[in-house]
Amino acid sequence: RITQMWILLGLGLVKLGVIFIAGRLLDRTGRRPLVFVSLLGCAVSFFIVAMSFIGAVPSEVGAIVGLALYLAFFSIGMGPATWTIASEVFTTSIRAKAMSLATFANRATATIFASSFLSVATAMTWSGFFIMMTVVCLIICVWMYIYLPETKGLSLEEMAHYFAEITGDRSILDVEGTLNRRDVDQLNEREQEILL
């Protein structure tokens, strides 16, 4: 039990340390590169864990190394970048509601995954489950390559214009403009009241 505690403590420290590194890298390198490194690293990590269950690598050491690599690679990109990107891609007029929905979807998916993990892994075999997770990471990487925009260095207004252009939907810009004009009008009215 003491050995397990030290392994868990070490894994937690790996994750914590990499999160600090990711925080510094997100604005320097951009979100896309970190997401791709993260997904590819997670895929390799899952493959190492799968091989440890097959017996291709030493079982305990392979599983622990694979898990440590997974925590590190997840924490460098998919962990922090997911929330950063989600908060950036929604325009200010819908950001609060959209982030609520995104958070709900994230937590619901995590709950379903955590609740079904043991059943699915037992039904598929442990190695089969981790090979499936390797494939899932690679599919998500391809999907992100096609659809994920780089938001590094863009203001929220620039991103709203960018998404309006690529989707051909300028209605959100009209809503944003109306809200901004209303805010300016309210500020002007308050200034006039103060001056009187």
Side-chain angles (χ1 to χ4, degrees):
R1 290 189 69 95
I2 297 294
T3 304
Q4 290 173 345
M5 182 191 72
W6 284 110
I7 291 170
L8 288 174
L9 181 65
L11 292 173
L13 290 173
V14 165
K15 183 174 181 178
L16 180 65
V18 175
I19 287 172
F20 280 110
I21 294 167
R24 299 191 57 80
L25 290 177
L26 273 174
D27 284 330
R28 268 193 217 147
T29 62
R31 286 82 166 129
R32 279 179 59 95
L34 288 180
V35 166
F36 298 141
V37 165
S38 180
L39 284 167
L40 293 173
C42 287
V44 169
S45 303
F46 284 136
F47 190 74
I48 291 170
V49 173
M51 292 301 104
S52 74
F53 283 107
I54 291 173
V57 293
S59 179
E60 293 172 357
V61 174
I64 292 168
V65 168
L67 184 56
L69 287 172
Y70 168 75
L71 290 172
F73 280 112
F74 179 83
S75 298
I76 198 77
M78 287 304 289
T82 301
W83 297 108
T84 304
I85 293 165
S87 69
E88 293 174 336
V89 299
F90 298 120
T91 61
T92 54
S93 62
I94 63 167
R95 183 170 295 121
K97 290 177 183 169
M99 282 302 296
S100 295
L101 289 173
T103 302
F104 174 77
N106 180 283
R107 296 293 83 205
T109 304
T111 300
I112 291 167
F113 188 83
S115 301
S116 63
F117 166 73
L118 288 175
S119 302
V120 174
T122 302
M124 293 181 69
T125 73
W126 286 84
S127 58
F129 177 81
F130 285 105
I131 289 172
M132 178 193 74
M133 292 305 298
T134 300
V135 172
V136 167
C137 285
L138 295 174
I139 290 169
I140 292 171
C141 190
V142 170
W143 191 88
M144 292 286 212
Y145 183 80
I146 295 168
Y147 293 109
L148 180 66
E150 178 57 74
T151 57
K152 173 189 163 193
L154 296 176
S155 70
L156 297 176
E157 293 78 15
E158 290 171 323
M159 282 186 270
H161 286 282
Y162 171 75
F163 287 114
E165 288 174 15
I166 64 172
T167 60
D169 182 9
R170 301 205 42 91
S171 63
I172 195 69
L173 296 178
D174 296 337
V175 170
E176 290 279 323
T178 302
L179 290 173
N180 287 338
R181 280 191 299 278
R182 189 179 311 154
D183 290 343
V184 169
D185 291 343
Q186 287 175 350
L187 284 174
N188 288 337
E189 287 174 14
R190 286 184 192 148
E191 285 178 0
Q192 291 300 320
E193 290 173 4
I194 292 171
L195 291 174
L196 296 176

